Amino acid sequence: MAESTTTPTNNNNHSAGGGGGGESVKLFVGQVPKHMTEVELITMFKEFSLVDEVNIIKDKTTRTSRGCCFLICPSREEADKAVNACHNKRTLPGASSPLQVKYADGELERLEHKLFVGMLPKNVSDAEVSALFSKYGNIKDLQILRGSQQTSKGCAFLKYETKEQALSALEAINGKHKMEGSSVPLVVKWADTEKERQARRAQKAQSQASGVPNTDPTQQPSLFGALPMGHLPLYNGYGYQAPGTYGLMQYPLPHMQNQPGFHNMVPPVNRGNAVRGLSPDLAPGLGTRSFSPANYIRPGYPSIPGLQYPMSYPGGMINQGSHNSSHATSPTANNNLAASSNVSTSSGIQTEGPPGANLFIYHIPQEFGDPELANAFQTFGRVLSAKVFVDKATGISKCFGFVSYDSPVAAQSAINVMNGYQLGGKKLKVQLKRDNKQNKLY
DNA sequence: TCATATT
């Protein structure tokens, strides 16, 4: 019943000339050829919408493009124009599939202007909360969290129409306003994004796993869940996130192998076992071998522990010899395989082989990384690249991947020998990679 | 189950 606030019908406030009233929007863009510059991208996107900025996303260490970028548009309308004109609609020269243009992670949530309200009285009504917060803007959504018996959990989420409204409510109420019948002031902060909740969950799980006696978050369960860091001194430092920042205090990502590029952390034992399973039956395949000169075991270089091929197994270099492995051996190095095969992609483009030379492989053993995959398929020809897909979040193998050769003949002989080959409990499925990049031109 | 990547 508090509908008498501003009407949203006429809010073209993003065009505030020079005043900067509008809210810019960040888009994520995928399938961007690595060689393109920010200027080139700006020029291209300006054809479809207003553009404030383009940031190419680069690899932290090599500083090379990761094949994607952020695109900052001055308003949601402009962002939508870019999305509608480009997403899945245009393929940049050199890309294998069309542009992916979407709101960046957390962006949609941020645009909801959603606040968390804590320390509400247990018996509070929607109308009371609504009445209070309506003073600062148009409430688009209000949700008081309630438990089993209708009883309030003491907190709520609410969305405003604009960031300014939310911000002014936050500043006016947080830590200052006491609701009727309550002895403590309300807590108002920006609601967490999904990502922040995930991070918190991970952190919580981590701390519980590490033997912390899990003291009593039960006094303020819902509040606890929404606050920046687990336990907080109750009225002390309820700072809210500075406007315009995306939140997230640093959560020390405790996880194991979140490092892209270091998937070789499998314990040597597993590695040995996994590979060992490959040896006996592979012999027939090796019988038809056609070793290229580049495939040989480097003298003095340790081959895979547990691998015993009838003749010298052509483990070793992949990909026209990248410069790695100048070090001979370190006794503790558990990455024997890895060092011998730093599979492409680092050298930039061209991870795909010619048509018919690229394999899709399913049921790859869990513990296989790129190097192990490369090794297993190396006897059939020159491997240009080998990639096992891993879950973005956990770093766990998804058990499928690709191997690319420089010739279709190699790929075919790999299929002949390896398809159906029992490896680590399951049979490999080896087939030609689907090609969605073909007969487009004639 | 087919190269997808969020500074």
Side-chain angles (χ1 to χ4, degrees):
Chain A
M1 26 194 86
E3 306 266 323
S4 54
T5 40
T6 56
T7 153
T9 31
N10 221 353
N11 60 344
N12 289 333
N13 60 0
H14 60 271
S15 52
E23 192 167 7
S24 63
V25 174
K26 177 159 62 176
L27 298 177
F28 174 84
V29 182
Q31 295 303 320
V32 176
K34 292 185 178 19
H35 56 78
M36 284 190 78
T37 67
E38 289 173 347
V39 170
E40 289 172 327
L41 288 162
I42 288 179
T43 306
M44 189 210 44
F45 282 112
K46 275 195 170 160
E47 201 175 315
F48 311 110
S49 76
L50 295 175
V51 176
D52 287 338
E53 204 178 320
V54 166
N55 302 122
I56 289 175
I57 299 169
K58 305 190 185 85
D59 181 275
K60 246 184 287 288
T61 57
T62 72
R63 295 189 172 204
T64 59
S65 166
R66 301 189 59 170
C68 48
C69 71
F70 289 120
L71 172 65
I72 316 292
C73 294
S75 70
R76 201 151 169 181
E77 288 74 16
E78 292 301 321
D80 289 338
K81 278 156 70 174
V83 171
N84 292 330
C86 300
H87 180 66
N88 271 142
K89 296 231 170 80
R90 305 164 194 271
T91 303
L92 262 21
S96 57
S97 46
L99 279 173
Q100 300 299 108
V101 184
K102 42 220 225 195
Y103 283 70
D105 278 357
E107 199 65 359
L108 278 169
E109 284 170 286
R110 191 179 67 82
L111 290 168
E112 288 184 321
H113 316 296
K114 186 178 186 181
L115 296 178
F116 168 84
V117 182
M119 298 285 106
L120 287 169
K122 300 296 181 202
N123 57 356
V124 76
S125 70
D126 278 40
E128 291 171 273
V129 176
S130 193
L132 170 61
F133 281 88
S134 289
K135 293 196 279 192
Y136 305 93
N138 190 20
I139 299 175
K140 307 280 288 189
D141 185 59
L142 169 63
Q143 181 190 11
I144 297 178
L145 275 57
R146 300 186 185 281
S148 46
Q149 259 86 345
Q150 196 86 327
T151 147
S152 162
K153 296 179 121 174
C155 61
F157 290 101
L158 71 76
K159 298 174 188 172
Y160 276 108
E161 183 181 286
T162 70
K163 182 173 76 178
E164 288 72 24
Q165 293 169 2
L167 188 55
S168 67
L170 188 157
E171 289 175 334
I173 298 175
N174 179 42
K176 298 176 184 162
H177 186 276
K178 295 179 184 171
M179 294 208 74
E180 200 173 298
S182 173
S183 59
V184 296
L186 294 179
V187 168
V188 184
K189 59 184 284 293
W190 295 105
D192 286 346
T193 64
E194 178 59 32
K195 263 198 160 175
E196 289 167 307
R197 291 199 295 275
Q198 276 179 7
R200 180 169 299 102
R201 273 200 299 275
Q203 189 192 234
K204 198 157 133 193
Q206 179 74 11
S207 71
Q208 284 182 356
S210 65
V212 179
N214 185 15
T215 50
D216 53 341
T218 43
Q219 18 164 349
Q220 300 287 343
S222 47
L223 180 58
F224 175 83
L227 286 174
M229 31 182 41
H231 297 48
L232 270 204
L234 269 188
Y235 298 106
N236 247 334
Y238 273 159
Y240 58 89
Q241 214 64 44
T245 72
Y246 294 104
L248 239 336
M249 339 214 103
Q250 282 117 319
Y251 294 98
L253 277 189
H255 251 325
M256 21 177 164
Q257 343 149 329
N258 268 339
Q259 301 284 31
F262 295 119
H263 5 237
N264 302 322
M265 317 207 57
V266 187
V269 181
N270 292 345
R271 191 173 292 255
N273 289 340
V275 177
R276 194 172 302 122
L278 181 74
S279 53
D281 288 297
L282 194 57
L286 290 175
T288 71
R289 67 197 166 277
S290 56
F291 295 158
S292 79
N295 287 334
Y296 66 102
I297 295 190
R298 298 162 116 338
Y301 199 84
S303 73
I304 308 148
L307 258 196
Q308 322 126 346
Y309 292 107
M311 339 194 68
S312 59
Y313 178 73
M317 350 191 3
I318 297 187
N319 192 26
Q320 58 270 52
S322 6
H323 74 300
N324 51 34
S325 77
S326 49
H327 65 298
T329 316
S330 64
T332 58
N334 59 358
N335 53 351
N336 302 334
L337 293 176
S340 65
S341 59
N342 199 351
V343 179
S344 102
T345 34
S346 53
S347 70
I349 50 183
Q350 196 76 17
T351 72
E352 287 213 22
N358 304 290
L359 300 178
F360 173 72
I361 297 142
Y362 196 58
H363 292 160
I364 297 168
Q366 187 86 51
E367 51 278 308
F368 269 41
D370 297 356
E372 290 81 4
L373 180 63
N375 243 299
F377 281 81
Q378 198 163 41
T379 93
F380 310 103
R382 174 166 334 242
V383 174
L384 298 179
S385 71
K387 173 145 251 10
V388 174
F389 275 71
V390 297
D391 183 89
K392 205 185 339 174
T394 67
I396 306 291
S397 165
K398 289 179 162 170
C399 298
F400 74 89
F402 298 92
V403 168
S404 292
Y405 292 100
D406 63 358
S407 100
V409 174
Q412 191 53 58
S413 76
I415 292 174
N416 292 340
V417 175
M418 299 300 280
N419 186 36
Y421 184 86
Q422 172 111 10
L423 189 54
K426 290 194 172 164
K427 291 183 175 175
L428 287 180
K429 179 180 289 190
V430 182
Q431 47 194 212
L432 286 178
K433 173 188 174 301
R434 265 204 314 253
D435 194 11
N436 42 359
K437 162 73 180 178
Q438 69 217 116
N439 43 22
K440 263 283 166 81
L441 52 152
Y442 56 90

